Structures are given as structure tokens and as C-alpha cells.
Amino acid sequence: MKSGELRQTLQMPSLQALLGLAAARDCNVYMVGGYLRDLVLEREPKQHLDYDFVVAGATAISLARAAAERLSGNFVMLDEAFDTARVVLADCQFDFAGCTGSGLAEDLQRRDYTINALAWDPLLPDQLIDTVGGVADIERKTVRLISESAVVDDPLRILRAWRFAATLDFVIEEKTRELLARHIALLCQVAFERISYELFLLFDSDCAWQHVKDMGELGALEQIFPELKDCRRVTANAYHHLGLFDHQVESVRQCQLAFANMPERARRILSLPMSHSLTRFGAVKISCLLHDIGKPDTWVITDEGKHTFIGHDKLGAELSVPLARRMKWSKPLERFVEKMV
């Protein structure tokens, strides 16, 4: 991290206003999470920045309401029971969460991955707080769970491991991978909207295939898309050197490899948004994973030993519609995947 970047962050007028509100309420505000991770990585900031704050000494919701009023932002209640709220401003958004446990150190221990458990106290602007080895893991390009309870408490964190690995070009620590495998069935408890958000970010990454493959090896893909379960029983044949499930995963890789050789105009069009947090190319890769879901129910082996799948494209398209609606995808994305399949 370049020297002075934390102090530069401190100069933000909106952050100064927030600190003034916190001082008036005699509470402490700590910045945590992805923004700090990206500073350590020296990544270019996103156009619309997200800042996460932990609030100690007052409720996060009350401070968020005051911040929305002071900064003329929009207040969004996230979860009253967990004391979380959001303030949406013209150029960024602030997410607030109440401090859990006895203080900041305990709160950081309850976060998901070490790379997301960095903290910064604006009152000590030159000091980055790292109680779990997050900086070292960032330098090693490693995604590591802080504790097993993190994925039990919120199973979406299982999927977030692959999302972070894909978007940051990191690897998942082996012990963490074993813990993900142990609790993979918990993914079925997560709201589909939350799953889709993580999937979109993953599939839009340049190295999506490696992590989609790993998800397939641990059984995560079938937890998200039960339509893929029967694809595992369709074997390789004279026309396909891979079994059907592996063929669909491999098609994501081939699609990814093809992108670099496409005409510039095609790459530009595919980079346009398809849905929130998903480009057209990301939607193409999702379609690749699902393109043969109609084959298991149309699979016939003739007396001559030939494997046929007559009408699998039409059936697959029909199956993709309830799948998209279950996942709460937008209508344009639903229609796009249906046509691709």
C-alpha cells in the first residue's frame, strides 16, 4: 500500500462529516473490509466506491440515519435485527454494522476471510489494524477462512470464497477448501438473490473457469443448479470425450479462451451490461454451463450403440426459464439464457 493513501481517504468530505456525527454521539467508527484490501493490493478504485464501517458505542442504524440526513443521501435498512444499514450517496455508498462482541478485535474475528478483516481507525490515520494475518494472506494471494463458524453462520460465504479467488486471481487455502466441502450442502439455505449476485461477479471475472471447475469438484454447482445433477450420469461417447457434466464446465473454459481472439467490436459488445453486476459475456459463460441441461431426459442409446439427444436443445431452453425465475434473474437475462441454451 502506498504511503499516504489512508490519510488521503481521510480527506473525503463525506467521511469528515461522518466522523463529526460519530464524535457528537460519543461513538467510534472503524472502516473495514474490501476497500482496505484493495488499497493493500494497490488496485484501481471502482468508479462507484463501497465503504464498510463498524460502529462501536452507538447503534449502526441510528448513525446511518443521521449520516443520510447530513449528507443528503438515501437511507436503506439492511437488517434491523443485525443492526445493519446503508447510505447511498451520489458517488459512493456507506454500509454500517454494529460492533459485535466486546470490541473491534472480536468483531474482526467474526468476519469471513482474513483478506476482508482489515480495519482502520480514522483517529489513527497511519495505522492499519490487522489482527488475523490479512495483509500476509493478501501478499500470498490466498483466500483463508478466519473460522469454520463463519460459513455455518452465513453459508453464502462458501460461494464468496470462489468469488474472491476469481475476481482477485487468488487461490483458496487447502484447509479452507476442505471446510467449504464439509458444509457445501448449506448453500441451499441461502436466498437466491444473494447467490446470483456472487455468481455474476464470479462469471464476469477473467479466470472464472478455474473456479467453476473447482465448484463442480466439490458439488457446489449442483447445490445451486439442481438441473446439473442428472448431467453427471451421461457418459462420454464417440462424439464427446468428456462426460456431460465435465463437458459443460469445459465449455466455459473454451468460451473464455475464445474471447481474446474475437474481433474488437465483438469484445466491446460482450462487455456491455446484461444485468446488474453481469456483462453479456458473463451471461454467455453462464449459458455455457447450462447449455445441455436438456440432455439427460433425451438421452437414448440405440441398438447400434449410438448416443442420441433428440430435442435436448428445446427441452433445455424450457428448463432454463423456471431456473432463471427461481434464481430471481432479470427478464432480459432470463430470455438471453433461454435463447443461448
Side-chain angles (χ1 to χ4, degrees), residues 29-283:
V29 175
Y30 305 97
M31 185 180 288
V32 297
Y35 176 75
L36 299 176
R37 179 197 66 227
D38 290 348
L39 281 184
V40 175
L41 282 168
E42 298 186 3
R43 299 179 84 200
E44 287 296 320
K46 294 181 293 184
Q47 194 168 22
H48 189 93
L49 291 173
D50 301 332
Y51 300 93
D52 297 318
F53 297 97
V54 168
V55 181
T59 65
I61 290 172
S62 65
L63 184 62
R65 287 189 188 278
E69 184 176 348
R70 172 70 65 85
L71 299 170
S72 300
N74 294 317
F75 172 84
V76 180
M77 177 73 76
L78 295 179
D79 195 318
E80 189 169 7
F82 286 94
D83 190 23
T84 58
R86 173 174 296 159
V87 176
V88 181
L89 306 174
D91 57 348
C92 65
Q93 73 180 30
F94 290 171
D95 280 0
F96 297 85
C99 190
T100 58
S102 59
L104 179 64
E106 185 175 342
D107 186 275
L108 295 176
Q109 286 287 339
R110 295 186 180 186
R111 296 181 73 80
D112 52 6
Y113 297 97
T114 60
I115 60 174
N116 296 327
L118 302 176
W120 175 59
D121 183 351
L123 300 180
L124 300 170
D126 295 319
Q127 179 180 342
L128 193 62
I129 302 168
D130 178 15
T131 61
V132 295
V135 171
D137 283 336
I138 290 171
E139 291 172 348
R140 287 192 291 261
K141 295 183 174 293
T142 298
V143 177
R144 179 168 62 89
L145 268 172
I146 295 174
S147 68
E148 184 173 2
S149 62
V151 294
V152 175
D153 294 341
D154 184 1
L156 181 69
R157 290 166 168 170
I158 297 170
L159 184 53
R160 280 165 64 85
W162 284 295
R163 191 262 279 189
F164 288 127
T167 56
L168 299 173
D169 196 15
F170 280 19
V171 296
I172 299 174
E173 178 215 30
E174 189 55 37
K175 182 179 178 182
T176 293
R177 189 172 180 273
E178 292 171 2
L179 292 174
L180 299 183
R182 183 180 304 171
H183 297 290
I184 209 77
L186 296 179
L187 274 173
C188 66
Q189 301 176 8
V190 181
F192 293 116
E193 298 93 332
R194 299 180 72 207
I195 288 176
S196 288
Y197 176 77
E198 299 295 334
L199 278 180
F200 291 170
L201 294 173
L202 192 160
F203 272 91
D204 253 346
S205 71
D206 293 335
C207 52
W209 168 77
Q210 297 94 312
H211 304 288
V212 170
K213 182 175 184 291
D214 195 45
M215 290 168 66
E217 290 175 357
L218 296 192
L221 294 178
E222 294 103 310
Q223 289 293 329
I224 298 168
F225 301 118
E227 294 84 354
L228 291 173
K229 289 181 179 178
D230 280 347
C231 294
R232 287 204 183 268
R233 64 181 176 84
V234 180
T235 60
N237 56 69
Y239 293 99
H240 297 90
H241 70 289
L242 296 172
L244 182 60
F245 183 92
D246 292 332
H247 161 75
Q248 294 184 141
V249 172
E250 173 65 15
S251 71
V252 178
R253 183 174 84 99
Q254 294 298 332
C255 179
Q256 208 166 269
L257 291 172
F259 186 79
N261 297 320
M262 291 179 186
E264 189 276 333
R265 181 172 178 270
R267 294 198 303 271
R268 187 175 67 250
I269 291 171
L270 286 169
S271 298
L272 293 173
M274 165 58 67
S275 188
H276 181 62
S277 301
L278 184 70
T279 64
R280 292 184 180 187
F281 191 50

